[in-house]
Each structure stands twice: as structure tokens, then as C-alpha cells.
Amino acid sequence: MTIPNVSTQPAAVAAALSQQKIHRRMHLTFIRFARNRFAAFGLFVIILFFVLAYGSPLFYKWNYENLDFTAFQSPPSMSHWFGTDQSGSDLFAMTMRGMQKSLVIGISTGVICTVVAAAIGASAGYFGGWADRSLMWLVDLLLVMPSFLIIAVLSPLFQGAHWLVLGVLLAAFSWMITGRVVRSITLTLKHREFVKAARYMGVPAFLIIFRHIIPSMASMLIIDGTIQVGAAIIGESSLSFFGFGVEPPDVSLGTVIASGTMAASSFPWLFYFPAGCLVLICLSISFVGDGLRDAFDPGSRHARGRFSQKMNETSVEGPAL
């Protein structure tokens, strides 16, 4: 007869309860996010643009490199959904190709910024001393440097390299403010009981940072990541607009908008379609970030405002019979 190990039962029960609590919290967060109509709309638009950007070459007959010599600057039609430019290139295919670059660069930049800011900010706040002074000196140095001009100067050095290098350059000058915020939060969290208990039990410092401190500010980092995605898309489009980003023969939203700017008054589809897609992407990302903030922080001002509005409507209508 096997006697169960009673000493392991409390730990197993505690682990099961912890997993159940995490699943319940994630479920409530998802429900709060889904109830935000603007956030749901923004997420739908982003997913739709991803599907169109990467799926349109499978069903659309024109490629961004193909030229239609029978249609120069033709308006939108069934053959060319967004029309064509002065060289006969299909504007819909070029816009979808540009969105591939913008979305991937934006997401990669947001992820890199969030990871770097969390690691450096939490390390500076937790260790303090010379580590804090050195890292904050680096943050202050990067903050005063003109990032747009530096990226514009460095971009010719990476001619012929993969276009994802542009995302790395954008991320290198975008994480500093978030890093300072993470450092400030870490200065408070490192004096909390669960961090002191982990330190007392001999847990290494880096495990405390990545297992206890950074997860405690996960909601803030997720929200900041969405903001960084929108800022990176605008930054990439701006650099490409001035000729410092994605280089020909490839295209991005910035290059497509730049090529149609001069003819916007005479041939408006050359400018308004790619510019409208850029605005819609950034607006949708902003909606998603706002929804994530309310989902992870039910006590925020916007969430309280929607809750009080629903309570007022319920009190006016009266209870359902």
C-alpha cells in the first residue's frame, strides 16, 4: 500500500489555486477588453490589414512590381482597386506591400523597446548605486540626442541590408522614457514583501527582476508596447517619406505617400488611399492601447466613466421585470 506524500499536497493545491486565479483574471481582462467597442474595432482593423497585406498577393492579380502600360494614373476601378500611378503601378498592391513593412517594423520596434526598457529600467531601480547612475546617464544621453537626424545619417550605412535594420534603429532611440518609468516603479516594488521574501530565500537578483518585479508591471508594459508600435509606424513612414527608410525598388507606406503627394490635388487617389491606411492603422492601435489600459486597470478614469454611465442608464430605465 502506497502512502501519499502529504507534504506535497499543500504545494500542489496552492499551485492549482494560483493557476485558477490567473485563468480567471485573464478571462475577466478579455471580457473587459471585448466590451470596449472602439478597442474591438481597432483589433479587427489591425487583423484585417494583416490579412490583406500578406494575403492579397494570393488573390489579387497585380504585384507591386508589375506595370500596366494601358493604365497610367487611372482612377480606382474593378481592375485596379486603388487606381494606378504615373508609371502604371497598381496602387493597391503597393499599399499592401508598404503595410507589410510598416506593420512588421512597428511590432518589432514595440517588442524591442518594451523588452529593453523593462530590462534596463528594472535593473537600474533594483541594483541602485553605480549601476543605476551608469544606466540613467545612458538614458539621459540618448534622450538629448536628435534621434531622427541620427537615424537619417546612419541609414545610408545600411544600404543593401535587410529592412528590419530600420526597426532596430528606431527601437534604439525609443525606449528611454519607458525605462525611466520602469525604474521608478521598481524603486517602489523592491521594498514590497514578496520581493523581500524572495531575496531572503536566496533567489538570485536577475530571477527576482524577471519573475517578480517585471510581471508586476506587465499591464503597463503591454499598454506602452502598443503605443510604441504606433509611434514606430509613424517614424518609419516619416523616414521613408524623406528617403531615409525603405529604399527602392521596395516600397513602404512612406514612399507610396511621398510619390503621390505632388499629384494629390489632381489625382487624389495617389495620396488619400495610402495616407488613409496609415491613419487608420495608427488610430486602431490607439484604440487597442486604450482598451488594454481599461482592461488591465478597471479603476482607470475611462473605465470608471463607462461604468458610471451604464449605472445611470440602468437607474433611469429601472430594473428589468
Side-chain angles (χ1 to χ4, degrees):
M1 179 177 179
T2 304
I3 300 176
N5 190 356
V6 181
S7 61
T8 61
Q9 290 182 0
V13 172
L17 291 176
S18 178
Q19 286 292 109
Q20 186 178 4
K21 184 178 180 181
I22 293 174
H23 291 162
R24 188 184 303 113
R25 184 181 304 172
M26 293 176 61
H27 180 68
L28 292 175
T29 301
F30 174 77
I31 291 176
R32 286 194 292 263
F33 180 85
R35 286 178 178 175
N36 190 324
R37 297 178 181 178
F38 288 103
F41 170 76
L43 183 61
F44 170 77
V45 170
I46 293 173
I47 295 175
L48 177 63
F49 278 171
F50 257 108
V51 173
L52 287 176
Y54 287 94
S56 60
L58 301 178
F59 63 85
Y60 195 64
K61 66 178 181 178
W62 296 103
N63 187 274
Y64 76 99
E65 295 178 322
N66 296 339
L67 301 178
D68 187 358
F69 296 105
T70 63
F72 295 102
Q73 292 183 332
S74 64
S77 62
M78 293 300 296
S79 178
H80 300 281
W81 293 356
F82 285 1
T84 59
D85 62 5
Q86 63 273 12
S87 62
S89 300
D90 186 86
L91 193 62
F92 177 80
M94 294 174 64
T95 304
M96 294 302 106
R97 177 67 177 180
M99 279 203 301
Q100 292 181 9
K101 300 290 188 300
S102 298
L103 290 172
V104 173
I105 288 177
I107 292 176
S108 61
T109 302
V111 171
I112 294 173
C113 285
T114 304
V115 172
V116 173
I120 293 182
S123 299
Y126 182 82
F127 291 110
W130 65 268
D132 185 19
R133 291 191 295 270
S134 300
L135 293 175
M136 288 303 101
W137 178 84
L138 175 63
V139 169
D140 294 336
L141 176 63
L142 293 176
L143 280 174
V144 300
M145 296 176 68
S147 58
F148 189 90
L149 294 178
I150 293 176
I151 296 175
V153 171
L154 292 178
S155 59
L157 301 178
F158 298 98
Q159 289 183 353
H162 199 275
W163 48 269
L164 282 177
V165 175
L166 181 60
V168 177
L169 289 177
L170 288 171
F173 294 94
S174 304
W175 58 270
M176 293 81 68
I177 296 178
T178 306
R180 275 198 166 276
V181 175
V182 171
R183 171 185 174 271
S184 301
I185 299 175
T186 304
L187 290 175
T188 303
L189 290 177
K190 73 176 184 178
H191 298 295
R192 299 284 295 272
E193 289 76 9
F194 63 93
V195 175
K196 291 182 178 179
R199 191 185 303 119
Y200 178 78
M201 294 173 63
V203 179
F206 286 103
L207 288 181
I208 294 176
I209 291 174
F210 288 102
R211 285 186 181 179
H212 299 284
I213 293 179
I214 292 180
S216 299
M217 61 182 85
S219 59
M220 186 277 294
L221 293 175
I222 292 173
I223 295 167
D224 180 79
T226 59
I227 297 174
Q228 293 289 353
V229 171
I233 291 175
I234 295 176
E236 180 273 329
S237 300
S238 302
L239 287 169
S240 299
F241 182 89
F242 290 106
F244 299 110
V246 178
E247 300 175 355
D250 213 339
V251 295
S252 73
L253 284 180
T255 59
V256 177
I257 293 172
S259 63
T261 301
M262 300 301 296
S265 58
S266 303
F267 307 97
W269 60 87
L270 296 179
F271 174 80
Y272 288 110
F273 278 118
C277 290
L278 177 62
V279 171
L280 196 56
I281 289 174
C282 296
L283 190 63
S284 300
I285 293 174
S286 177
F287 286 158
V288 171
D290 185 68
L292 287 174
R293 180 195 59 197
D294 292 345
F296 282 102
D297 185 12
S300 64
R301 178 173 58 88
H302 291 78
R304 290 199 307 268
R306 280 193 289 269
F307 178 75
S308 60
Q309 182 180 1
K310 291 182 180 179
M311 291 298 294
N312 293 332
E313 292 176 356
T314 303
S315 61
V316 170
E317 295 174 357
L321 297 179

